Amino acid sequence: MKKLFKFELIKKDGSARLGKIYTPHGEIETPVFMPVGTQGTVKAITKYHLLETKPQIILGNTYHLYLRPGTDVLKHFGGLHKFANWELPILTDSGGFQVFSLANSKEKGKGHKPEVVLTEEGVKFKSHLDGSWHFFTPEKVIEIQEIIGSDIMMPLDICPPYPCDYEQAKDAVFKTIRWLERSKKAKKNNWQALFGIVQGSVYEDLRIESAKMTVDLDMDGYSIGGLSVGEPWEYMYRMTEVVVPLIPENKPRYLMGVGTPENIIESVDKGVDMFDCVMPTRNARNGTLFTHFGRVNIKAAKYKLSEDPIDPLCDCYTCKNFSKGYVRHLYNAGEITAMILGTIHNIRFYNKMMEDIRMAIKENRFRQFKKEFLDRYSST
Amino acid sequence: MKKLFKFELIKKDGSARLGKIYTPHGEIETPVFMPVGTQGTVKAITKYHLLETKPQIILGNTYHLYLRPGTDVLKHFGGLHKFANWELPILTDSGGFQVFSLANSKEKGKGHKPEVVLTEEGVKFKSHLDGSWHFFTPEKVIEIQEIIGSDIMMPLDICPPYPCDYEQAKDAVFKTIRWLERSKKAKKNNWQALFGIVQGSVYEDLRIESAKMTVDLDMDGYSIGGLSVGEPWEYMYRMTEVVVPLIPENKPRYLMGVGTPENIIESVDKGVDMFDCVMPTRNARNGTLFTHFGRVNIKAAKYKLSEDPIDPLCDCYTCKNFSKGYVRHLYNAGEITAMILGTIHNIRFYNKMMEDIRMAIKENRFRQFKKEFLDRYSST
């Protein structure tokens, strides 16, 4: 018998919250950062080194996993946990963000140009891999996530781009709510949690309306979606401030796709419990590394002879074993090993930051921690 | 005080030899395979996972390390061991092979077209990285390797392409010998070993002459160079048979750049002690994996639902943790993690094969092992 999803609020320090999420695959201390494992692996790292960074949960992308390896493979293996030999909790997004953001993207991808047709029933989209057409409905997306077997599922939602006019944002809010009702009805497994996603772009009244309607549906947790899509940070913070007080204290709050260390600390201060972002892994692959003294472009000539670790305050495998000079050389020589070492470091940086955040809340000194962290982070 | 280089012949089983090499950075049991770490790291693997494959020594490329990070960086860090935080022995090649093979290569590289001008004094060459001109002399190459601080150095030699006419091969043999004399004279550190390299293309009389002249110079060990450059395997084996008996029993024999599992087992049977090859690491990056039942293209559709490990007889991290179906998915999804997992597996496959070879020699059953291994390896 699998344990059911539960959130426990342990204590507050201002609006910052220390909590614990119980899932069938183990407990998660919050605030938590979830490394992104889009296609069934966090990129450029082995499970061994990932576990060493002390993650508590990883995020998988329903859109990508549905297209590849596909639900036939995932069903055969008995879900993503078994397929990837991953014991810890998994959260999956709904694919909504990918469907819309890939179609809205101005980037010329290597693959096929994604296209999307939105109806009340669902969303028809063209695969970025082979140009084939697919149809996601709220029910279908729940079914896929039940095959994946994630501990926390997201319902299909509509994530508008930024900027987005009021009418389009309003339509997205109401369609997202109607889809959430259908998602809830479609859900079969009681051991998988289902969150609701608050939309509303940068419009306060829409965010409030969306939050109230979503909370009325009594979900396991609440996501704030549609942010970190290019809007100024002030909007992200303001929308978070507007939404958070409307979410019941006994439910976790997840700010999707966020963000930089500054974004995360600021949002924890506003009462957010969960975060995910590709930033630490993506940046690692191009040589941008996070340190307690700000971001570092490790390829820079000034590190050529540096015998120091990337971050003297970091306890990761990379920092314990290698110098900036060596890691710089590996990046400049185009070695895959460089990306591995950078990925290990950046993920550990994020996880360590969350550990420090939790400790600070526990000891009632979050605001002091925040100030010290941000002062040091912007010192160079 | 660093320990000096020494080779100890432990026992023979037919012509196959069990031995031990003592170096300043530790002991090496032979026959040994040396994973290639061209630019200061074995590609697509961390030191942690590499050590898990139980390597005894890695190979570095003088040509690449000289160009990048450069001798100024290596000198600053106190050599490659300290730069890469690598405690085990290192062997460096001389750069001769790279200089000639890059210039002879018909491949259109991404970088600058290498060019080469050979004189009695040395070899002038154009960097494949930035088109700048450099000059390698035997003395210069020893100096670079003394900065690298490798346990075993190779002298600058002339490695002709295959096919190669008799006069060109003869000229390469005699120039290589004259350069070896200069290399020996130039060598300053008594703790670094220096091998001699036997050349002679596929001409038996040149190989014999080269071997005798090289042995007369009383080197720490003897390499057989200029093979595995495109010639049929029969030539490689025949040249090895011709050269090996001319090398004193109390010195190690190193067949450079070789090779496939079949090549290695066949050459051990002819009395070779040391091998290196990019094959396990390069193949891993494109999805060709070695198993006891032959090579596997892991991307193939037939492995889509396979829950088996890549090789049921392998004890590597990848085989202990992941299925063929999962690894196949990662390769097809273009994940760097796939290359890491494949690299771990292939290096461990080679190292395990060498362990099994040594055990078979120890137990006087090498020929039986060879037959069983090759029968199984070619069974599918």
Side-chain angles (χ1 to χ4, degrees):
Chain A
M1 189 64 190
K2 285 183 173 168
K3 277 191 202 162
L4 296 186
F5 180 91
K6 201 181 86 184
F7 175 75
E8 184 189 330
L9 177 60
I10 295 171
K11 78 177 291 296
K12 290 178 69 172
D13 178 8
S15 295
R17 294 147 45 102
L18 189 71
K20 194 177 268 187
I21 296 171
Y22 298 82
T23 81
H25 289 90
E27 300 170 8
I28 301 158
E29 295 179 355
T30 62
V32 65
F33 175 79
M34 306 182 281
V36 177
T38 300
Q39 305 190 105
T41 177
V42 176
K43 288 190 191 298
I45 190 169
T46 59
K47 179 183 163 188
Y48 171 83
H49 282 302
L50 181 58
L51 288 177
E52 227 182 20
T53 71
K54 298 189 187 132
Q56 303 187 76
I57 173 171
I58 55 167
L59 183 143
N61 288 123
T62 296
Y63 169 88
H64 289 89
L65 292 167
Y66 160 79
L67 291 178
R68 194 168 52 192
T71 46
D72 56 334
V73 171
L74 289 166
K75 196 180 268 180
H76 173 85
F77 279 89
L80 183 57
H81 282 96
K82 285 181 187 158
F83 184 56
N85 187 23
W86 182 256
E87 298 88 1
L88 300 185
I90 292 173
L91 178 148
T92 38
D93 65 8
S94 69
F97 175 77
Q98 275 74 29
V99 164
F100 293 103
S101 67
L102 286 169
N104 289 324
S105 161
K106 287 178 190 88
E107 273 179 55
K108 270 194 196 166
K110 274 177 281 184
H112 292 253
K113 171 79 189 128
E115 292 176 44
V116 66
V117 182
L118 178 61
T119 62
E120 182 60 30
E121 178 59 16
V123 55
K124 206 174 137 184
F125 63 94
K126 218 170 173 174
S127 158
H128 71 293
L129 294 177
D130 63 4
S132 58
W133 281 98
H134 300 265
F135 193 53
F136 271 180
T137 62
E139 294 80 8
K140 170 94 180 182
V141 161
I142 292 293
E143 190 196 332
I144 298 168
Q145 291 179 89
E146 287 179 339
I147 290 168
I148 293 173
S150 45
D151 299 84
I152 304 174
M153 303 189 286
M154 295 295 138
L156 188 63
D157 65 328
I158 294 161
C159 179
Y162 177 84
C164 162
D165 68 41
Y166 187 87
E167 285 310 313
Q168 194 191 344
K170 191 173 172 182
D171 185 65
V173 163
F174 283 90
K175 208 166 257 146
T176 294
I177 280 290
R178 291 193 295 275
W179 285 4
L180 179 57
E181 288 172 337
R182 286 167 57 191
S183 304
K184 214 182 150 182
K185 230 171 274 175
K187 179 176 174 313
K188 285 190 290 286
N189 296 332
N190 76 333
W191 64 267
Q192 290 182 280
L194 179 62
F195 280 27
I197 303 177
V198 175
Q199 290 290 353
S201 187
V202 295
Y203 305 105
E204 288 191 27
D205 62 326
L206 291 181
R207 285 280 172 187
I208 291 170
E209 207 164 358
S210 175
K212 285 181 175 167
M213 291 189 294
T214 309
V215 168
D216 279 347
L217 289 174
D218 189 25
M219 306 308 297
D220 294 311
Y222 297 92
S223 304
I224 308 174
L227 294 174
S228 200
V229 293
E231 79 286 357
W233 287 1
E234 293 66 37
Y235 285 111
M236 180 201 300
Y237 297 150
R238 181 70 197 132
M239 294 304 115
T240 302
E241 277 171 3
V242 164
V243 169
V244 162
L246 302 172
I247 302 176
E249 287 249 304
N250 63 344
K251 295 291 171 77
R253 304 147 179 182
Y254 165 27
L255 184 53
M256 303 179 87
V258 172
T260 66
E262 299 99 313
N263 292 160
I264 288 177
I265 287 178
E266 199 57 64
S267 304
V268 164
D269 201 7
K270 298 181 192 312
V272 176
D273 308 304
M274 302 166 70
F275 302 89
D276 80 283
C277 192
V278 296
M279 203 172 274
T281 41
R282 183 174 292 166
N283 280 359
R285 296 198 298 285
N286 66 36
T288 303
L289 304 183
F290 292 93
T291 81
H292 284 82
F293 303 89
R295 286 194 218 190
V296 156
N297 171 12
I298 194 66
K299 295 179 182 176
K302 63 179 165 182
Y303 302 124
K304 187 172 172 181
L305 301 179
S306 173
E307 296 173 54
D308 296 329
I310 295 161
D311 183 348
L313 299 180
C314 180
D315 59 4
C316 83
Y317 170 79
T318 305
C319 286
K320 280 190 292 186
N321 285 282
F322 307 106
S323 64
K324 270 197 254 198
Y326 177 65
V327 175
R328 171 188 181 271
H329 160 66
L330 295 182
Y331 271 102
N332 283 315
E335 289 286 350
I336 289 171
T337 310
M339 299 195 223
I340 306 172
L341 294 179
T343 297
I344 292 170
H345 170 77
N346 274 359
I347 298 180
R348 178 59 193 148
F349 177 87
Y350 266 66
N351 288 341
K352 170 93 162 52
M353 176 177 73
M354 303 314 292
E355 289 170 11
D356 292 343
I357 287 173
R358 292 195 297 269
M359 188 56 78
I361 298 173
K362 195 173 172 185
E363 295 172 354
N364 283 312
R365 53 176 178 78
F366 177 73
R367 277 290 168 89
Q368 183 199 334
F369 166 82
K370 175 182 168 183
K371 187 184 177 322
E372 283 169 8
F373 185 98
L374 294 178
D375 283 354
R376 192 173 49 197
Y377 190 75
S378 57
S379 63
T380 47
Chain B
M1 190 61 192
K2 287 186 174 166
K3 278 191 203 162
L4 297 186
F5 179 92
K6 201 180 86 185
F7 175 74
E8 184 189 331
L9 176 60
I10 295 172
K11 80 179 289 296
K12 289 179 70 172
D13 177 9
S15 294
R17 294 148 45 104
L18 188 72
K20 193 177 269 186
I21 296 172
Y22 298 83
T23 81
H25 289 90
E27 299 170 10
I28 301 157
E29 296 178 355
T30 61
V32 66
F33 175 78
M34 306 182 281
V36 177
T38 300
Q39 304 189 106
T41 176
V42 175
K43 287 191 191 298
I45 190 169
T46 59
K47 179 184 163 188
Y48 172 83
H49 283 300
L50 181 57
L51 288 177
E52 228 182 18
T53 71
K54 300 193 186 127
Q56 302 186 77
I57 173 171
I58 56 167
L59 183 143
N61 287 123
T62 297
Y63 170 88
H64 289 89
L65 292 167
Y66 160 79
L67 290 178
R68 195 168 52 192
T71 46
D72 56 335
V73 172
L74 289 166
K75 196 180 268 179
H76 173 84
F77 279 89
L80 183 57
H81 281 95
K82 285 182 186 158
F83 184 55
N85 188 23
W86 183 255
E87 298 89 0
L88 300 186
I90 292 173
L91 178 148
T92 38
D93 65 8
S94 69
F97 176 75
Q98 276 72 29
V99 164
F100 293 102
S101 67
L102 286 169
N104 288 323
S105 162
K106 286 177 191 88
E107 273 179 55
K108 270 194 195 166
K110 275 178 282 185
H112 293 253
K113 172 80 190 126
E115 291 175 46
V116 65
V117 182
L118 178 61
T119 62
E120 182 60 32
E121 177 60 15
V123 54
K124 205 173 138 184
F125 63 95
K126 219 169 171 173
S127 158
H128 71 292
L129 295 176
D130 63 4
S132 57
W133 281 98
H134 299 266
F135 194 54
F136 271 180
T137 61
E139 293 80 9
K140 170 95 178 181
V141 161
I142 292 294
E143 190 196 332
I144 298 168
Q145 291 178 89
E146 287 179 339
I147 290 169
I148 293 173
S150 45
D151 299 85
I152 304 173
M153 303 188 287
M154 295 294 139
L156 187 64
D157 65 328
I158 294 162
C159 180
Y162 177 83
C164 163
D165 68 40
Y166 188 87
E167 284 310 312
Q168 194 192 344
K170 190 175 174 182
D171 185 66
V173 162
F174 284 89
K175 208 167 259 150
T176 294
I177 281 290
R178 291 192 295 273
W179 285 4
L180 179 56
E181 288 172 335
R182 286 167 56 190
S183 303
K184 217 184 146 180
K185 230 172 272 175
K187 181 176 174 310
K188 286 191 289 286
N189 296 331
N190 76 333
W191 63 268
Q192 290 181 281
L194 179 63
F195 280 27
I197 303 178
V198 175
Q199 290 289 354
S201 187
V202 295
Y203 304 104
E204 288 191 27
D205 63 324
L206 291 182
R207 285 281 171 186
I208 291 170
E209 207 164 357
S210 175
K212 285 181 174 167
M213 291 189 294
T214 309
V215 168
D216 279 347
L217 289 174
D218 189 25
M219 307 307 298
D220 295 310
Y222 297 92
S223 304
I224 307 174
L227 294 173
S228 201
V229 293
E231 79 285 357
W233 287 2
E234 292 66 37
Y235 285 112
M236 181 201 299
Y237 296 151
R238 180 70 196 130
M239 294 304 114
T240 302
E241 277 170 4
V242 163
V243 169
V244 163
L246 302 172
I247 302 176
E249 287 248 305
N250 64 344
K251 294 291 171 78
R253 303 146 179 183
Y254 165 27
L255 184 53
M256 303 179 88
V258 173
T260 67
E262 299 99 313
N263 292 160
I264 288 177
I265 287 179
E266 199 57 63
S267 304
V268 164
D269 200 6
K270 298 181 191 311
V272 176
D273 308 304
M274 302 167 70
F275 302 89
D276 79 284
C277 192
V278 295
M279 203 173 274
T281 41
R282 183 175 292 167
N283 281 359
R285 296 198 298 285
N286 66 36
T288 303
L289 304 183
F290 292 93
T291 82
H292 284 81
F293 303 89
R295 286 193 217 190
V296 156
N297 172 11
I298 194 67
K299 295 178 183 177
K302 63 179 166 181
Y303 302 124
K304 188 173 171 179
L305 300 179
S306 172
E307 297 173 54
D308 297 328
I310 295 161
D311 183 349
L313 298 180
C314 180
D315 59 3
C316 83
Y317 170 79
T318 304
C319 287
K320 279 191 291 186
N321 284 282
F322 306 107
S323 65
K324 270 197 255 198
Y326 178 65
V327 175
R328 172 188 181 270
H329 160 66
L330 296 182
Y331 271 103
N332 283 315
E335 289 286 350
I336 290 171
T337 309
M339 299 195 223
I340 306 172
L341 294 179
T343 298
I344 291 170
H345 169 76
N346 274 359
I347 297 180
R348 178 58 193 149
F349 176 86
Y350 266 67
N351 288 341
K352 170 94 162 52
M353 176 177 73
M354 303 315 292
E355 289 170 10
D356 292 343
I357 287 172
R358 291 195 297 269
M359 189 55 78
I361 298 173
K362 195 173 172 184
E363 296 171 354
N364 283 311
R365 53 175 179 80
F366 177 73
R367 277 291 168 91
Q368 183 198 335
F369 165 83
K370 175 183 168 182
K371 185 183 178 323
E372 284 169 8
F373 185 98
L374 294 178
D375 283 352
R376 193 172 48 197
Y377 190 74
S378 56
S379 63
T380 47

